[in-house]
Amino acid sequence: KTYIQKVIGAGDVENAVVGKVTLVGEARKYLMEKNGQEPSLRELAQYTRMSESELKDMLALIRKAEERAKAR
């Protein structure tokens, strides 16, 4: 991670993470509306073309943000 940050810059890494979190959030919302239920990890992986392991991390970030928003 440190090496990548040096090569491409920390800002780019942060922007990539924000972009992926946004993509996953929008995909989750779309699939919920389309199917009427929370999408499975496999459905999200197929839709976003991301690995299930990476999706778990992105979903954890989304859930933390949702919890913080509710606490306010």
Side-chain angles (χ1 to χ4, degrees), residues 4-66:
I4 292 171
Q5 288 176 340
K6 286 180 183 178
V7 172
I8 64 173
D12 291 339
V13 171
E14 290 173 10
N15 288 337
V17 170
V18 169
K20 286 183 177 186
V21 167
T22 301
L23 169 68
V24 171
E26 291 297 317
R28 183 176 157 225
K29 180 180 173 183
Y30 170 77
L31 291 170
M32 277 195 291
E33 290 174 1
K34 180 181 173 190
N35 300 326
Q37 63 185 16
E38 182 77 28
S40 69
L41 198 57
R42 175 178 271 168
E43 289 171 318
L44 277 172
Q46 289 174 342
Y47 188 80
T48 62
R49 300 180 189 257
M50 294 171 65
S51 71
E52 290 185 18
S53 142
E54 189 173 16
L55 277 168
K56 286 179 186 177
D57 293 339
M58 297 299 122
L59 289 169
L61 289 171
I62 291 169
R63 288 193 176 101
K64 281 184 184 179
E66 290 172 346

